[in-house]
Amino acid sequence: MNMAQTGRLITQLRTRLGLTQAQLAQRLDVTDKAVSKWERGKSLPDIALLNRLAAELRVSVIEILSGEFLNVARSSNLDEIGVCGEKEDYAKPLSLSPSDSGDLMVSSYLFGSNLEHTRSCVWGGLSAQMLRNRKFAGNPSACKGCAMEWYPIGEKSIFTFDRPYTRHGEGYHMKRMSECNSLNILNPYFGQRAGLGQHGLAVRQGEGYLFGAVVQTKGPVTLWVALTNRAGDRVYDNRSITVDAAEWTRYEVELAPNAADRDADLRVWWEEEGNVCFGALSLLPKDNFRGMRRDVVEKMEEMGIRVLRWPGGNFAGEYNWMDGLLPVDMRAPFQSYLGLETQPHSMGYDYDEINTDDFIALCRKIGAEPFITINPCWNTPEENAAWVEYCNGDSTTKYGRLRAERGYQEPYHVQLWSLGNEFGYGHMEGDNTPSGYCQTALEHGRKMLEVSPKLSLCSSGPYPNKEWAELSARPLSGIAQMISQHYYGHAPNYTELSKVEEEYHECLASIPRMRALIRESRQWLEPNVRISLDEWNVWYAWYRPSSVTDGIYAALAMHLLIEEAEKSGIAVACHFQAVNEGMLCVSPEGVSLTAQGQVFSLMKRHAGNRLCFASQEAVITIDREGRVTATVVNASFRGEKTVEFSQYGTCREAMLYSSSTVLPPSVFEEKNVLEQTQGGSLCMPPHSVLLLHF
């Protein structure tokens, strides 16, 4: 190991990402002096920091330790090759002419999305759970012993982590720490309050909330549960529970606050002498869909998502499907291998709120085809075959019978399965070489096909990549009909008003680059192997306010996917991802479509139609009743675009999606412009999208 060489690589990577030593230090919770020592070859990062450092610098741990780039292709799915920011003539006039549609259909599989347990997609997004760290993961708070995110009640109460209630199911082989704890609270004095509380809960007046607690006690205790203001001097509602449980027991009460408060507290306490050990706590709105927010589920349904990929993404490498067979309160949190990059908003843990049954129910509710990604690193081929059997087996099979006994008699018929995520980029656990991954995927895929022979399997890899095409995709072509390809375009960096137009065009210039990389993959693949572009978006859409720039990018990308689907063999396409990462913005008050979400919801009108015409700027389709739908994009930053469509006759619907700005935060204004189409043409303003229906 050469410390100087490692230091030079860290410096190179940090500089490439535009980070100062202080900024990198802040992300890693170390001092800038420590980073300086690494880069000068005076010391090495602590072993506990290596995974987090690798994730921040977008390389593998092996590369950091060796001090050089290895032949594992790009370490991130962000396209690292600079794109050309040259302006295209997006404003040139366009004439729409009728043409024979032929037999080519616009596949509904192009209108997919992801449901990955990252950042705030589940926690603070789809999940209806309101409590932070409700299963007491991690380490206690300094000097108090209480679980992180909670505050202690009672000056003389004694807080101790104890033997856990939460646990992992079968098939858990990962090596993580601090996932399973319970919180024991001892009240030494009768008449003193002892308990715990949490700030920052948004409650609505008159709405029902279900509070649940899994506890153990050594004798009867009257447990009080209250929703209050932050100071605790105003009680919105409270209830008492008599608990007497030598073994873990779950209790539940309903609370209905008499006032709304965006910063309410939950307080749980008792006054008897003795102890209460909390295994898990829960607070849900009574009106939820299997523990998910009903308003978010309904918005996903409204958008028209037709494929939903789960549980990742990167999180697939941290997930064990058999944990989901346990009751939701009992399921252990998953500590993130990728540290704060995967779970930065929930202390580096996922609390396992959604299992296979919930996911399938969600897919059926919104009308999406389920697309499941296995964990080929930590689950065995037999365990992943059991997952297939649980989903697709009838009641005569072991795991099909288990599903039936759990209340789901009919098989789920999950056809789409991915053999891991982003192997070859260097940041996933497991063998990241093409031949090594190929052997792993063969073992898992063959076992899965023994259970359900008609599966559509998708192999992983850093495509486009000739070596992976030859050593992985080709040998796997007998079992895997698809390869996974990901693409993220340039994230506009609005730091100067003078560069807004430049950043806008730099972002849109990623679209032709996206097309080129898809075609590059196509030339190396066997004819029977198709592309699953199951992650696409603008980079960092999850860490910044959304804008019309992202919306125009999405419109061009979706037109490209429709145009290239048959030419380049794109079988599946999934935007990354719906909830809090590009298309839906979720807050305690509700959920709204971003500009990307507006575009996705608009483009769904083409799904299942016959294709008449497709280009980057326009798509025209015809449905079974002979009705024509056209979508047109004016991606020009300043210029207006004239669209002529008189040959289609009378226009029945015309909606213009436009905005006076591309700066975040911004969405499209939706305007009915039907009256303006009477002359058979319309002038589109800059950065706008038009829907026409004939």
Side-chain angles (χ1 to χ4, degrees), residues 413-677:
H413 301 298
V414 180
Q415 181 182 359
L416 300 173
W417 295 80
S418 187
L419 301 173
N421 172 73
E422 290 190 351
F423 280 83
Y425 286 106
H427 61 269
M428 300 300 295
E429 291 180 285
D431 195 329
N432 275 270
T433 65
S435 56
Y437 167 75
C438 178
Q439 183 59 40
T440 298
L442 276 172
E443 293 171 0
H444 286 264
R446 285 170 176 167
K447 283 290 183 182
M448 294 163 69
L449 289 169
E450 286 176 9
V451 172
S452 188
K454 296 184 179 180
L455 301 181
S456 296
L457 300 182
C458 179
S459 69
S460 187
Y463 294 99
N465 185 296
K466 185 178 181 181
E467 182 183 17
W468 273 74
E470 292 175 349
L471 299 180
S472 181
R474 185 171 297 170
L476 287 170
S477 62
I479 67 165
Q481 300 88 356
M482 296 182 291
I483 59 101
S484 173
Q485 183 166 341
H486 296 169
Y487 183 78
Y488 291 86
H490 171 79
N493 184 23
Y494 293 128
T495 57
E496 299 180 39
L497 286 176
S498 62
K499 294 186 177 181
V500 170
E501 184 173 359
E502 178 183 335
E503 287 291 322
Y504 173 82
H505 282 287
E506 191 77 8
C507 177
L508 300 193
S510 300
I511 295 296
R513 176 68 179 160
M514 179 181 181
R515 185 191 303 274
L517 291 174
I518 291 170
R519 291 182 175 179
E520 188 177 347
S521 286
R522 178 71 268 157
Q523 69 177 347
W524 289 327
L525 296 175
E526 297 292 298
N528 68 314
V529 176
R530 294 170 69 81
I531 295 171
S532 173
L533 196 75
D534 41 46
E535 289 187 26
W536 67 266
N537 200 348
V538 181
W539 188 248
Y540 265 25
W542 38 94
Y543 284 144
R544 54 184 175 78
S546 184
S547 72
V548 164
T549 302
D550 302 332
I552 294 296
Y553 178 96
L556 294 174
M558 297 191 78
H559 277 187
L560 180 153
L561 291 168
I562 293 172
E563 180 186 3
E564 289 289 333
E566 184 66 22
K567 297 176 183 177
S568 297
I570 302 173
V572 177
C574 297
H575 175 276
F576 193 95
Q577 66 179 324
V579 183
N580 277 338
E581 302 208 358
M583 294 204 292
L584 293 175
C585 187
V586 180
S587 69
E589 290 76 26
V591 55
S592 60
L593 291 174
T594 66
Q596 282 195 357
Q598 290 174 291
V599 164
F600 191 96
S601 186
L602 165 67
M603 294 293 174
K604 73 181 179 185
R605 301 281 289 267
H606 292 302
N609 291 356
R610 285 180 292 157
L611 183 62
C612 300
F613 174 81
S615 71
Q616 188 170 287
E617 61 180 348
V619 168
I620 305 172
T621 60
I622 184 169
D623 66 15
R624 293 178 181 178
E625 284 72 39
R627 294 171 298 195
V628 174
T629 298
T631 50
V632 183
V633 184
N634 179 13
S636 174
F637 186 81
R638 298 182 183 277
E640 295 181 338
K641 182 184 189 74
T642 301
V643 183
E644 202 276 333
F645 41 83
S646 59
Q647 295 182 58
Y648 279 98
T650 303
C651 187
R652 300 182 179 183
E653 180 184 5
M655 292 293 297
L656 180 68
Y657 295 72
S658 62
S659 172
S660 60
T661 181
V662 300
L663 290 172
S666 57
V667 296
F668 291 110
E669 177 188 358
E670 301 180 23
K671 184 178 180 181
N672 187 336
V673 292
L674 185 60
E675 290 187 0
Q676 300 177 31
T677 66

Side-chain angles (χ1 to χ4, degrees), residues 239-406:
R239 294 286 187 273
S240 64
I241 312 170
T242 301
V243 300
D244 188 1
E247 303 296 331
W248 290 115
T249 305
R250 191 178 197 277
Y251 297 88
E252 185 173 283
V253 294
E254 182 177 342
L255 299 166
N258 59 18
D261 190 341
R262 296 190 81 255
D263 188 21
D265 275 27
L266 174 75
R267 297 169 185 255
V268 184
W269 77 91
W270 72 98
E271 298 182 356
E272 292 91 340
E273 178 184 304
N275 76 295
V276 175
C277 191
F278 294 93
L281 296 175
S282 173
L283 187 66
L284 287 166
K286 188 176 181 180
D287 182 24
N288 67 79
F289 177 77
R290 300 181 66 97
M292 293 174 262
R293 281 184 49 165
R294 191 170 294 277
D295 58 347
V296 179
V297 173
E298 290 173 351
K299 193 63 82 171
M300 292 175 72
E301 180 181 11
E302 175 188 318
M303 286 174 59
I305 296 170
R306 291 296 171 256
V307 178
L308 196 59
R309 180 173 174 257
W310 172 85
N314 292 343
F315 180 73
E318 299 165 359
Y319 185 66
N320 175 50
W321 80 269
M322 290 183 173
D323 280 26
L325 300 176
L326 300 170
V328 63
D329 286 338
M330 186 182 286
R331 296 175 208 154
F334 289 111
Q335 186 180 26
S336 170
Y337 165 69
L338 293 177
L340 296 181
E341 171 57 27
T342 315
Q343 308 294 341
H345 305 153
S346 52
M347 297 171 44
Y349 294 88
D350 174 82
Y351 294 89
D352 205 353
E353 306 293 359
I354 297 173
N355 69 357
T356 303
D357 305 312
D358 299 326
F359 171 65
I360 297 298
L362 173 65
C363 287
R364 290 179 173 176
K365 171 66 176 171
I366 69 174
E369 186 81 12
F371 188 2
I372 294 179
T373 308
I374 67 167
N375 185 345
C377 176
W378 288 111
N379 282 129
T380 66
E382 291 76 17
E383 288 161 354
N384 281 320
W387 197 359
V388 174
E389 186 173 280
Y390 182 85
C391 290
N392 297 351
D394 60 32
S395 58
T396 64
T397 64
K398 176 182 176 180
Y399 286 95
R401 182 166 58 254
L402 176 60
R403 182 200 64 246
E405 290 170 352
R406 289 166 56 82

